[in-house]
Amino acid sequence: MFEHLKQTPAYILEEDKLRKNCELLAKISEKSEAKVLVALKGFAFSRALKIVGEYLSGCSCSGLWEAKLAKEFMDKEIHTYSPAFKEDEMNEIISLSNHIIFNSLNQFEKFKNKAKNKFLGLRLNPEFSVAPKELYNPSGRYSRLGILDKDLKNANLDAVSGLHFHCLCEESAESLERVLKVFEDKFKFYISKVKWVNFGGGHHITKEGYNTQKLIELCKNFSDKYGVQVYLEPGEAVGWQCGVLVASVIDLIENEKQIAILDTSSEAHMPDTIIMPYTSEILGARILATRENEKISELKQGEKAYLLGGNTCLAGDIMGEYAFKEELQIGDKIVFLDQIHYSIVKNTTFNGVKLPNLMLLNQKGELELIKKFSYEDYARRN
């Protein structure tokens, strides 16, 4: 399908797959009575937000610009949280948002009167998480994210209508169950006094094998027990497995191994493959070794091995080593799977590398060019 794509690199969102994810999230919302928001920090493809808005209740935003994007492209419920709100942005954030969640009692006290006509919440830190690594652990030692239970003892929370926690990263319903138990044990007194509780993001709901029935039961039981509206705010789960990054082979060289240089970059266009780290799957190829040269599998008879590298001067701009059924040729297309969530919101113009075009594969099977980036986009960022 993508071998005749003329301009690469390009992120391509597949509408059918996006709608399938959203249909599942909407079904869970209906059965659990929990409201589901899309977390823009993980999925902010503006052209797709109108589609997502057909199914979900609104957006979870991390500051002014995400709140503005939510208003412009979805215009449903807008929940805005930041580790610290800036005073010169606060009036606009208040005007855009339905819910505002504060990270500290200091910020809550500073802005509660100005935002008194909104639903105000506090992010809490239960000091427990099952995040896969410390980089993604919001409840780790010295965490700046959320208020500790000991700091709530003498606080005046009359203006607080809701509570928020976020302790998961690509986690299961069973992980949520563990976190929820700790959260209840620590904050039960405060839960009984509010109208809504946000369970945060990191729920891998649309991943194959996720226990959706357990999630429904956890949300429904919690809501019935405390008489509160439950919110979920997945980001990755909305865009999970519904888009690709298409690149072209622009040169082939040899240095002990066959090396293909692409017109994309793991550093600039797939940053989570370096940060997590993980090795992206490729359509029609198998992973032989990770970018750190950790062997995953052996080359089979008839296959051709290639180390794939990006077109930047960073020595470590490597995607990994892959087995292909045929020899690669200059101009061949390489399709990296599952590269819509987080990649678009994190990509950069490092080294002056062109940002990938944004495209949509619609339900008619037609490829629509949504945005083409130019030199001016690079120049404006520098």
Side-chain angles (χ1 to χ4, degrees), residues 11 32 57 92 143 186 190 232 240 258 270 274 296 308 335 369 381:
Y11 297 110
S32 68
S57 295
E92 193 171 4
S143 175
K186 287 205 170 193
Y190 306 100
L232 302 172
W240 179 250
Q258 296 296 320
M270 297 178 280
I274 293 178
I296 301 298
L308 302 186
V335 181
L369 177 62
R381 293 176 67 156

Side-chain angles (χ1 to χ4, degrees), residues 66 213 216 219 271 306 315:
E66 285 192 359
Q213 186 56 41
I216 290 167
C219 293
Y306 289 89

Side-chain angles (χ1 to χ4, degrees), residues 83-101:
F85 291 109
K86 296 180 68 175
E87 191 156 11
D88 62 353
E89 296 178 348
M90 202 59 194
N91 285 339
E92 193 171 4
I93 287 172
I94 291 169
S95 70
L96 291 166
S97 307
N98 305 102
H99 291 61
I100 301 173
I101 299 100

Side-chain angles (χ1 to χ4, degrees), residues 52 63 82 210 216 220 227 261 264 328 352 361 373:
V52 176
S82 175
Y210 185 93
I216 290 167
K220 189 72 170 67
I261 300 177
T264 190
L328 291 180
L361 180 63
F373 294 94

Side-chain angles (χ1 to χ4, degrees), residues 42 64 98 124-125 151 155 157 160 162 211 233 241 274 286 330:
L64 177 58
N98 305 102
L124 305 181
N125 180 359
D151 295 324
L157 304 183
V160 174
N211 191 343
E233 47 179 44
Q241 297 286 1
I274 293 178
R286 295 189 306 109
I330 292 174

